[in-house]
């Protein structure tokens, strides 16, 4: 399931990449930061194993683009996964740390 969701992310980034190309901005080797080492390893390994034969060929879209060099999957430890702020409830300290890392401000505490 993680591998399939990473492929979906790849498809969305590919769409954005084509949109930016229309404006003259060319991007190569786009990093995708992911916290699942199995999905990363599967995207880098072109050999089909018995454990991956159940994955439909359409889900290997990610692996094809990683091999072409369009994307680079990078491992990010779960505790440093910035997307968690959008997908799960977090302790207050973690929420504030991720919010700061993303560059978001608390409008209630702005110095005027």
């Amino acid at each position: 399931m993680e591998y399939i969701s990473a492929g979906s992310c790849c498809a969305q980034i590919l769409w954005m990449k084509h949109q930016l190309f229309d404006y003259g901005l060319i991007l190569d080797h786009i990093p995708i930061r992911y916290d699942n080492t199995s999905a990363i390893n599967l995207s880098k390994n072109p050999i089909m194993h018995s454990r991956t034969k159940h994955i439909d060929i359409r889900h290997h879209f990610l692996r094809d683009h990683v091999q072409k060099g369009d994307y680079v999957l990078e491992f990010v430890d779960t505790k440093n996964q910035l997307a968690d702020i959008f997908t799960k409830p977090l302790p207050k300290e973690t929420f504030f740390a991720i919010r700061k890392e993303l560059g978001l401000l608390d409008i209630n505490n702005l110095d005027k």
Side-chain angles (χ1 to χ4, degrees):
M1 188 61 170
E2 294 282 341
Y3 181 68
I4 295 169
S5 67
S8 175
C9 174
C10 176
Q12 292 175 13
I13 292 173
L14 184 62
W15 178 83
M16 287 186 255
K17 182 178 174 179
H18 285 304
Q19 294 298 315
L20 292 171
F21 180 78
D22 290 342
Y23 292 102
L25 185 60
I26 300 171
L27 301 172
D28 288 323
H29 308 293
I30 298 170
I32 298 177
R33 294 179 176 89
Y34 214 65
D35 64 353
N36 187 292
T37 54
S38 296
I40 293 171
N41 291 336
L42 188 57
S43 73
K44 293 179 181 179
N45 189 354
I47 299 172
M48 295 292 279
H49 294 287
S50 61
R51 292 183 179 174
T52 61
K53 68 181 180 181
H54 69 281
I55 299 174
D56 194 20
I57 192 70
R58 65 190 160 110
H59 298 303
H60 291 297
F61 176 78
L62 172 67
R63 185 178 62 193
D64 295 340
H65 281 280
V66 168
Q67 288 176 354
K68 289 179 189 175
D70 294 335
Y71 303 101
V72 178
L73 262 68
E74 299 174 351
F75 178 75
V76 175
D77 189 21
T78 303
K79 65 181 179 180
N80 296 321
Q81 187 63 270
L82 298 180
D84 285 352
I85 197 169
F86 303 112
T87 60
K88 58 180 79 168
L90 300 170
K92 187 186 293 187
E93 298 78 24
T94 306
F95 177 83
F96 291 145
I98 292 175
R99 184 180 67 184
K100 182 178 179 184
E101 191 73 28
L102 288 172
L104 301 175
L105 302 174
D106 181 0
I107 60 171
N108 295 323
N109 293 325
L110 290 177
D111 294 330
K112 295 182 181 184

